[in-house]
Amino acid sequence: MRTHIHIIFGKNHQIQGGIKNTDVRRKGFISSCTTSKGGVDGDSMDEFERAVEEIYEALEGNMDREEIRKTLRKWIVGYKLSLDEAKRGIIVNYGGSNKLLDGKFKKLNELRAGEGRLNLRVKVLSINEKVHGEGETRKKYYYGMVGDDTAVLPFTAWNLNVNIRKGDCIEIKNAYTKEWRGQIQVTIGQNTRVEILPPDSVKVRSEIRKAKVKDLHPRMGLVEVAGKILNVEKRTIVVDGNERDIYTGIFADDTGEIPFTSWDTPVEKGSTLRISGAYVSTFRGMPQLVFDSRSTIREENMEIKIKETPVPIESLEGKGGFNVLLEGVIIDVKDGSGLIYRCPECGRVISGSGCPVHGRVKPVADLRIKAILDDGTGAVMCLFNREQTEKILGKSLEEVIDMVKDNLGNPSVILDMVEDKLIARPMKVRGNVMNDEKYGLRMLIKDFEMINMDDIAKKAEKMLDEMGW
Ligand SMILES: [Zn+2]
C-alpha cells in the first residue's frame, strides 16, 4: 500500500501514468502482483465483476453471468443507476434476495486476498492523503493502517463518505481486499460505506510488535526490529510515472538475516538501526522486511553478534527463510539425482535427446542432488548443484560420465553412490529456504558440511562419562 499502491486504480481512472509493472519487474522487484483483468480502470472493473458475481449468487444461478453483465450494463447506462442500486434492483426484479448482500463482520486476521462484501470494525492508526494522476485524471486518495484486536493491516480509500482521522474508530461496510507485495490490504471503494464509531470502541492489538528476525513472518502487522545493515544497494525505479529510490539489502540481528526494502529512506551499510513500524511481506518464497518514510528509523549503538545456531525446520513452515543454517539427517535421495542431461537452450532436464520445447538438441551433462533433510521438527528438500555433488561423490563430472559408460550407460550407478554417501548421514546445510505452496520447503544449498560421526561418538562418550555411566 504505502507508496506502491497505485496498482489499484480508482473509479473513472485511466491507466495513463499507471505503474510500469514491466519496468519494476525487469529490475527484479516484484514477484507477483494482482492487477485486475485487462489492467485498465482496475478498481471499477473489479467492482463490476464483483457485482456480477454477487447477482449470480443471489439469483442462485438462474441467470448466467454474461446475461447478468448485459443486464447490469443496461441498468447502469439506461436507467442511470449506481452500480449498487442496479445490483440490488436486478436481484429483486429477477426474484432473488438482497439479504445475502449484507455481508458479515470479520476480524482483520481472517482476511484473505480477493474477498468482497466485507464488514469491519477497526481503528485508524494512520492516514495519509495522496494525489494520483495529472490533469483530468487527477484523483485524491487515502492510505494508511487500520487495526483491530487481531491484526494491523494497510488500507486504501478511493472514496470516503465521511472524513476520518487518525485515532477514529470506524465501521466499514462492503469493503474488499487486495494483495500487493505479499500483503493483504483493505480497500474502500465506491460502494463502501464508512461510519464513525464512539471513541475507543475498537481495541487494537499492540500497534507495533517488537520482534526478532527469526520470528518475522507476513501477516504479523507492524513490527519493531533492531539490527545491522549488512549490505545495501540503491536503485531507482519508476512507480506510477514517478521515480522512486529504493534501498535493498540484508538486515540482521543476533537470530538471523532477512532481505529488506526501504522505500525512499536511505540506510547505510554497517549501521545499526532500530526500525519501528516496518512490516513483513513475502518475496520469492521468503519473508522480506519493508519500511518507508512512515517508519521510525533510529541509529542505535549495539553489538550485533550473529550466532551460528541452526534453526528448527518447523519454524520455516509456511514462510521460508533467508540464509538459514539447518542441522539434520538426510533421510531420502530423490530420483533425478546424480548424472542428468539438460537442454542446452533452456536448461530443462531431459531424457533422450529431445526437449519438450526445443525438440532434438545436443544434451549437456550435469550433476545434481535432490535430498530430504530431516531435523526431527520438519523436513526440507535440499538442492545440491554440480560442484557440490562432485564434492560429495569425490568425483568430477568427467569421471562420473566414464563410470556410467563402464556401467553400460546406466546412470543408476551414480544414484546408488549418492545414496550410499548421503542417506542417514548427519549434515549442516546453509542456504535460502523457499516456501512453495506446491512443493513445500526447498533449500538451494550455499554451503554444506558433513558432521563427522566420530566426533558425535566421542561427544556422546564424553557426555556419558560426565554423567558417570
Ligand atoms: Zn529446451
Side-chain angles (χ1 to χ4, degrees):
M1 149 109 32
R2 307 174 178 229
T3 48
H4 30 277
I5 48 173
H6 311 266
I7 198 82
I8 307 166
F9 295 103
K11 200 175 191 179
N12 303 325
H13 246 283
Q14 303 306 312
I15 191 82
Q16 177 203 28
I19 189 167
K20 303 204 175 39
N21 279 321
T22 44
D23 285 4
V24 181
R25 250 204 209 111
R26 206 175 296 130
K27 288 176 179 156
F29 273 88
I30 294 175
S31 57
S32 68
C33 57
T34 48
T35 48
S36 57
K37 293 175 203 87
V40 177
D41 204 1
D43 192 42
S44 55
M45 192 63 211
D46 277 0
E47 291 200 37
F48 186 86
E49 280 304 314
R50 226 182 340 268
V52 169
E53 219 35 56
E54 285 169 28
I55 295 168
Y56 184 81
E57 277 172 38
L59 296 180
E60 294 167 346
N62 287 326
M63 194 194 278
D64 69 38
R65 290 184 175 84
E66 204 35 57
E67 192 61 32
I68 293 170
R69 277 185 201 105
K70 244 186 261 167
T71 312
L72 191 54
R73 228 169 267 133
K74 192 174 82 192
W75 281 56
I76 294 169
V77 178
Y79 307 153
K80 308 244 178 318
L81 295 175
S82 75
L83 181 66
D84 198 47
E85 289 163 341
K87 177 176 75 186
R88 289 174 183 268
I90 291 168
I91 290 171
V92 171
N93 205 49
Y94 289 87
S97 162
N98 274 324
K99 263 189 202 147
L100 273 173
L101 294 181
D102 292 336
K104 57 171 191 141
F105 281 93
K106 280 200 167 182
K107 293 291 189 183
L108 292 179
N109 71 343
E110 297 175 281
L111 302 188
R112 299 290 179 270
E115 277 190 79
R117 266 181 285 162
L118 280 173
N119 298 342
L120 303 162
R121 287 190 190 98
V122 294
K123 188 171 188 173
V124 180
L125 303 179
S126 68
I127 180 163
N128 306 268
E129 195 179 300
K130 203 161 175 174
V131 173
H132 167 78
E134 279 171 20
E136 294 239 321
T137 64
R138 215 171 133 84
K139 187 175 166 66
K140 200 155 78 172
Y141 67 88
Y142 301 89
Y143 67 97
M145 302 297 280
V146 289
D148 66 9
D149 57 350
T150 65
V152 173
L153 289 179
F155 78 93
T156 312
W158 293 102
N159 180 64
L160 279 175
N161 58 301
V162 290
N163 275 326
I164 55 174
R165 286 176 308 181
K166 181 179 168 178
D168 281 345
C169 295
I170 56 172
E171 186 169 286
I172 305 176
K173 283 200 165 157
N174 201 26
Y176 55 99
T177 59
K178 291 255 182 179
E179 191 178 347
W180 176 234
R181 295 177 66 96
Q183 260 270 339
I184 305 281
Q185 305 180 3
V186 174
T187 309
I188 294 172
Q190 295 299 313
N191 298 310
T192 310
R193 306 298 295 170
V194 176
E195 245 179 81
I196 311 272
L197 298 173
D200 295 320
S201 52
V202 178
K203 296 272 166 277
V204 177
R205 189 194 171 99
S206 69
E207 298 182 4
I208 295 177
R209 254 192 282 178
K210 285 192 178 181
K212 288 292 192 181
V213 165
K214 74 171 169 59
D215 298 321
L216 295 177
H217 65 86
R219 305 180 66 83
M220 67 191 295
L222 294 179
V223 293
E224 179 176 313
V225 289
K228 189 173 187 171
I229 303 293
L230 297 187
N231 58 59
V232 60
E233 191 181 323
K234 177 185 172 183
R235 311 191 200 203
T236 304
I237 62 171
V238 177
V239 178
D240 200 31
N242 299 318
E243 284 201 348
R244 303 282 305 271
D245 289 338
I246 61 169
Y247 299 81
T248 59
I250 308 299
F251 180 83
D253 69 6
D254 55 358
T255 67
E257 300 175 16
I258 187 168
F260 72 86
T261 295
S262 168
W263 287 82
D264 303 316
T265 309
V267 290
E268 273 177 42
K269 181 178 170 167
S271 56
T272 49
L273 306 174
R274 179 171 297 278
I275 303 165
S276 187
Y279 67 92
V280 185
S281 69
T282 298
F283 181 60
R284 293 186 175 150
M286 289 181 282
Q288 178 190 221
L289 187 68
V290 183
F291 46 96
D292 60 25
S293 52
R294 290 186 306 129
S295 317
T296 314
I297 302 171
R298 268 202 326 267
E299 280 232 44
E300 207 175 275
N301 261 334
M302 51 191 143
E303 267 303 295
I304 304 292
K305 282 208 186 82
I306 296 156
K307 276 186 241 148
E308 288 288 295
T309 42
V311 301
I313 292 172
E314 194 178 26
S315 72
L316 304 171
E317 300 286 359
K319 69 174 188 122
F322 177 81
N323 198 27
V324 291
L325 181 67
L326 304 177
E327 193 177 311
V329 175
I330 300 287
I331 56 164
D332 194 14
V333 172
K334 292 290 176 194
D335 285 346
S337 297
L339 180 64
I340 54 162
Y341 286 91
R342 295 187 188 275
C343 168
E345 301 289 328
C346 62
R348 277 189 183 80
V349 175
I350 54 179
S351 54
S353 59
C355 167
V357 177
H358 299 96
R360 286 191 77 79
V361 288
K362 195 166 185 269
V364 178
D366 194 10
L367 288 169
R368 69 144 180 221
I369 295 172
K370 299 196 285 182
I372 308 294
L373 182 89
D374 192 303
D375 74 349
T377 72
V380 167
M381 159 95 77
C382 294
L383 304 164
F384 297 87
N385 65 18
R386 170 182 165 181
E387 211 185 2
Q388 294 157 348
T389 305
E390 287 179 328
K391 199 169 146 194
I392 288 166
L393 293 174
K395 297 206 178 299
S396 70
L397 176 61
E398 291 71 27
E399 288 172 309
V400 166
I401 291 171
D402 286 343
M403 278 179 71
V404 171
K405 268 186 203 150
D406 292 345
N407 194 46
L408 304 172
N410 186 349
S412 70
V413 62
I414 306 303
L415 182 59
D416 290 347
M417 204 173 147
V418 172
E419 287 180 343
D420 272 358
K421 297 271 184 195
L422 285 186
I423 287 187
R425 289 298 303 273
M427 271 184 122
K428 276 186 188 172
V429 293
R430 178 184 287 284
N432 294 344
V433 175
M434 279 155 300
N435 177 57
D436 185 307
E437 296 212 340
K438 204 165 152 198
Y439 299 105
L441 296 174
R442 290 184 301 162
M443 177 187 261
L444 286 178
I445 304 289
K446 271 187 216 163
D447 277 320
F448 68 97
E449 190 192 326
M450 300 283 190
I451 300 171
N452 193 325
M453 298 285 233
D454 295 343
D455 284 356
I456 293 176
K458 265 183 215 147
K459 242 189 234 166
E461 228 169 84
K462 195 176 160 219
M463 195 175 76
L464 292 177
D465 275 352
E466 282 166 6
M467 290 167 72
W469 283 70

